Amino acid sequence: MPDQSIPEARDRARIQAGPQARAQAGAPAPEGAASDQAAPSAGRLTRRKLLGTAGATGLVLGAAGGAVGYTARPAEATPLTSLGSGQAMFHGKHQSGITQGLQACGHLVAFDLAAGAGRKEAVALLRRWSRTAERLMAGEPALQDDTDVARDAGPSSLTVTFGFGHSFFGRTGLEKQRPVSLDPLPDFSSDHLDKKRSDGDLWVQIGADDALVAFHALRALQKDAGSAARLRWQMNGFNRSPGATSHPMTARNLMGQMDGTRNPKPAEPDFDQRIFVPESGTPSWMANGSYAVVRRIRMLLDDWEKLAVKAQENVIGRRKSDGSALSGGTETTAMDLEKTDAKGNLVVPINAHARITRPDQNGGAAMLRRPFSYHDGFDADGIPDAGLLFVCWQADPVRGFVPVQRKLDRGDALSQYIRHEASGLFAVPGGAARGEYVGQRLLEG
């Protein structure tokens, strides 16, 4: 659980005025904004029309090219009244759901192609999924048999992200197009993996700031799968809602720790190099894509909560109250790994989680963490099944996730309070251009 998580949903500097407000101010609309939205069905009362303010106060995300779509932090918290008006773009250089801020609700889903289904069925499925995702992200109903679950709601910053697992390529006869970076992750000593809740041919990430909007998308995509694919596993997650705090803050996890201080920032000059496959990368269909490592990490909260706050802080290496390093300063002050106390002991313990996961302690290895918390009830002894749906993004997991996790395996103080119970690695292609579906360059290239 490296100390590199993305700020929570309301902490978005990507909040921009909608087209009406920009027009009044005399400013041009950003590239890929209103003109890129799917046209509502003629004469139909849409969710965006019902909301009324979707255009005026919405979030314009995923614009084609540049850093416009991924500013790291907002100037102010999102007003609760505008929660439904946030909108992410389906078309763009990258898929949505990677650089956007944390959303309040999420679903992670894996599918396997049905017996006998192959490349032809996969093409038809990705076409359906892309069409549905584009409509739902724009606040429109699904084309076929919409359930009306999200009626009356705006887009609510809905994002839908698609990826391919290692097994997908054999099922579709595309083994030669399978990236080397998609080779299975090595075994780690902290793994207690449930194979039934790991891997999969296809992976879908759904996020939104409204639970009904997120569920509506989940149900629509599951119905779209039809006879082509069957559900392998599905996990539900959540984060703090936009506007829940008086000022923007880094997210907290279920251990109560601030989780995300050292996440790579899009404004950094090497951000794209570390997170996205370059245009010249191989295979060519992965240009502008990324690799997602997905881990279900159970937190042993009963044991953790028995620790005094000081002991918890020593495990992490940061203050629980404000996220600052134990070596001093504020949350963003660089950690002094050599600082000692009056007795000569390191202020940041040698096995502190934040020390071990620092990029400068791992050959520069970095990943963009964008997790959801989860709670799946209690076992027979009343012990909570709760923790983190860990999702991290990188240009190459061999250089990103793997070296950091190997080092954590060798001596992370946090390891005795967490358990890795499910795992997956997925190749997430770049965004679809207008007129394309996600994965078209692989399936029809």
Side-chain angles (χ1 to χ4, degrees):
M1 221 167 45
D3 182 33
Q4 298 175 337
S5 158
I6 198 165
E8 63 182 290
R10 72 181 180 291
D11 296 347
R12 300 171 180 143
R14 59 184 173 79
I15 297 174
Q16 301 175 359
Q20 295 176 4
R22 284 190 296 270
Q24 293 172 1
E31 180 183 356
S35 62
D36 282 348
Q37 299 173 15
S41 302
R44 180 159 186 170
L45 185 61
T46 67
R47 289 197 280 129
R48 292 179 62 204
K49 289 179 181 177
L50 285 165
L51 185 70
T53 58
T57 59
L59 307 185
V60 182
L61 308 177
V68 174
Y70 21 102
T71 314
R73 293 176 182 267
E76 58 185 26
T78 307
L80 292 177
T81 53
S82 71
L83 184 147
S85 64
Q87 183 180 346
M89 296 295 106
F90 176 76
H91 296 292
K93 184 177 181 180
H94 311 296
Q95 286 196 60
S96 65
I98 302 176
T99 58
Q100 284 79 18
L102 296 183
Q103 294 133 308
C105 311
H107 301 290
L108 305 181
V109 199
F111 293 84
D112 287 332
L113 291 173
R119 185 171 175 179
K120 178 181 177 181
E121 289 76 16
V123 167
L125 175 57
L126 267 298
R127 284 186 185 277
R128 291 196 298 273
W129 272 353
S130 295
R131 177 186 61 195
T132 295
E134 180 180 7
R135 290 183 63 85
L136 299 186
M137 286 171 58
E140 298 295 325
L143 281 175
Q144 300 293 328
D145 302 321
D146 190 86
T147 61
D148 285 337
V149 171
R151 183 184 287 273
D152 312 316
S156 301
S157 300
L158 174 68
T159 60
V160 182
T161 319
F162 301 106
F164 304 112
H166 185 275
S167 56
F168 176 82
F169 297 84
R171 299 294 306 277
T172 55
L174 293 166
E175 292 95 337
K176 292 182 179 179
Q177 291 297 321
R178 182 167 51 215
V180 174
S181 297
L182 200 58
D183 286 351
L185 296 172
D187 294 330
F188 300 106
S189 63
S190 58
D191 286 352
H192 296 77
L193 304 183
D194 178 356
K195 297 298 184 182
K196 294 180 180 179
R197 293 195 292 185
S198 299
D199 303 318
D201 293 343
L202 293 154
W203 176 67
V204 183
Q205 175 191 252
I206 298 167
D209 282 339
D210 178 77
L212 287 179
V213 168
F215 177 82
H216 178 244
L218 172 66
R219 187 68 181 129
L221 294 170
Q222 182 187 9
K223 290 169 66 177
D224 275 350
S227 60
R230 57 181 178 81
L231 189 70
R232 180 180 177 90
W233 54 259
Q234 188 252 319
M235 302 175 189
N236 307 316
F238 58 90
N239 285 302
R240 180 172 278 160
S241 297
T245 56
S246 60
H247 62 279
M249 296 176 63
T250 304
R252 290 187 185 273
N253 59 35
L254 297 188
M255 288 179 161
Q257 300 288 151
M258 285 192 173
D259 191 346
T261 300
R262 289 195 58 83
N263 226 17
K265 306 297 188 295
E268 296 169 358
D270 60 349
F271 179 85
D272 277 13
Q273 176 184 338
R274 299 162 99 179
I275 306 305
F276 294 110
V277 177
E279 293 275 1
S280 59
T282 55
S284 59
W285 65 267
M286 273 295 291
N288 300 315
S290 189
Y291 292 90
V293 174
V294 181
R295 309 276 280 182
R296 185 182 191 271
I297 304 176
R298 185 170 182 174
M299 295 177 173
L300 308 181
L301 294 177
D302 283 356
D303 294 336
W304 174 259
E305 291 164 2
K306 290 175 184 176
L307 296 179
V309 171
K310 178 58 178 174
Q312 292 180 351
E313 291 176 340
N314 284 336
V315 167
I316 302 298
R318 292 185 174 276
R319 304 288 180 200
K320 193 171 184 179
S321 60
D322 61 6
S324 61
L326 297 184
S327 54
T330 66
E331 181 186 358
T332 57
T333 300
M335 183 177 290
D336 184 351
L337 299 181
E338 305 303 321
K339 187 174 182 178
T340 58
D341 60 19
K343 297 181 179 180
N345 298 316
L346 288 170
V347 173
V348 180
I350 196 68
N351 62 348
H353 183 75
R355 173 191 283 268
I356 293 175
T357 58
R358 284 173 56 106
D360 58 6
Q361 300 296 300
N362 294 279
M367 64 198 88
L368 179 68
R369 295 180 68 248
R370 195 176 183 275
F372 293 94
S373 293
Y374 78 88
H375 177 223
D376 288 341
F378 301 83
D379 65 17
D381 297 322
I383 298 173
D385 182 1
L388 197 70
L389 301 181
F390 173 92
V391 182
C392 73
W393 302 89
Q394 58 260 284
D396 182 358
V398 175
R399 294 184 289 109
F401 173 79
V402 172
V404 176
Q405 187 59 37
R406 277 180 170 156
K407 195 167 183 181
L408 289 170
D409 247 16
R410 293 196 294 266
D412 178 22
L414 185 60
S415 62
Q416 63 181 303
Y417 302 103
I418 60 175
R419 188 163 61 219
H420 293 244
E421 296 186 336
S423 179
L425 171 61
F426 302 96
V428 176
R434 183 154 295 282
E436 288 185 346
Y437 61 87
V438 173
Q440 182 169 337
R441 279 161 276 179
L442 165 64
L443 291 163
E444 298 185 27

